[in-house]
Amino acid sequence: MSHRTEGERRLEEALAAIDRRRFLPEELRGRAGEDRPLPIGHGQTNSQPTTVRNMLTLLDVRPGQRVLDLGAASGWTTALLARLSGPEGRVIGVERRAELIGPARAALAGTADAGTADAEIRLAHPGVLGAPEDAPYDRILVSAQADAVPESLVAQLADGGVMVIPVNERMLRLERRGEEVAASEHGAYLFVPLVEDPPTTR
């Protein structure tokens, strides 16, 4: 008999508590149990449950942590992170597709209770990756594929913080230790591209 770690147990509880159906278009809610990404419109998807589980296992969110969810899309991962970081935590989801914000916020609001963190979903600012105004973060989850590790996101990590991000079809786990960043690879994945707008000039 295998013994699950505390983190694994908490993740299973979060996945059971946060119903994926709530974060899908009405016509796709009957397919919520399928282990595949499902379209939510505007070229975006609600990620495959196994992929979400694997990413959250790598991220290892602890109660009370401050978390950035980049590429919030449907809001499902934001809600899961809010459950994992608990009532003392804080979760900021960022999404660049304005059309997704309303449905994602509504779905997220329906999962808020005494066991979840204060969580919100914001529209991304043009030319800004993440939410540097509220950094540093203990954990950063990126649900879009980058060509290289974005230094602007590494800069938003707290000392000892962890970021999980797909880069060139490889899942990376990055841990910041002072000015050093340790990276490890954890399998091959396909995601929609991470769009980095050029910085706006004033």
Side-chain angles (χ1 to χ4, degrees):
M1 178 178 169
S2 63
H3 294 281
R4 292 186 298 177
T5 66
E6 175 68 10
E8 289 169 338
R9 183 187 64 77
R10 293 179 60 251
L11 177 54
E12 292 303 321
E13 288 177 354
L15 288 164
I18 305 297
D19 190 349
R20 187 189 188 200
R21 286 178 297 184
R22 179 185 293 277
F23 299 89
L24 293 170
E26 194 167 348
E27 67 274 13
L28 291 179
R29 288 177 182 169
R31 297 176 57 189
E34 296 179 15
D35 191 25
R36 64 180 64 196
L38 294 171
I40 57 172
H42 310 286
Q44 305 301 301
T45 62
N46 176 287
S47 294
Q48 180 179 0
T50 294
T51 298
V52 171
R53 182 193 304 270
N54 291 347
M55 292 180 80
L56 292 178
T57 297
L58 290 172
L59 199 63
D60 188 25
V61 176
R62 310 289 177 86
Q65 288 188 324
R66 190 177 190 82
V67 186
L68 173 66
D69 184 23
L70 184 58
S74 69
W76 186 37
T77 50
T78 310
L80 289 166
L81 291 166
R83 175 71 56 166
L84 290 168
S85 55
E88 301 303 315
R90 177 89 169 92
V91 179
I92 296 172
V94 177
E95 173 54 48
R96 71 186 308 274
R97 295 274 184 181
E99 304 91 341
L100 299 177
I101 300 284
R105 284 176 175 165
L108 177 64
T111 63
D113 62 30
T116 61
D118 178 25
E120 64 174 291
I121 295 175
R122 300 177 183 172
L123 182 63
H125 294 297
V128 178
L129 203 54
E133 66 274 18
D134 285 292
Y137 300 99
D138 302 299
R139 298 289 187 269
I140 298 178
L141 180 71
V142 184
S143 298
Q145 182 168 259
D147 295 327
V149 175
E151 290 303 321
S152 62
L153 288 181
V154 173
Q156 293 174 50
L157 268 180
D159 191 9
V162 172
M163 175 163 60
V164 173
I165 178 173
V167 177
N168 290 327
E169 299 183 14
R170 309 299 297 178
M171 191 64 70
L172 299 187
R173 182 183 191 272
L174 307 172
E175 184 171 353
R176 182 171 186 170
R177 301 167 185 162
E179 294 306 307
E180 301 295 316
V181 178
S184 54
E185 280 192 15
H186 300 272
Y189 293 83
L190 285 175
F191 277 84
V192 296
L194 178 66
V195 178
E196 295 187 61
D197 297 317
T200 53
T201 55
R202 295 190 178 186

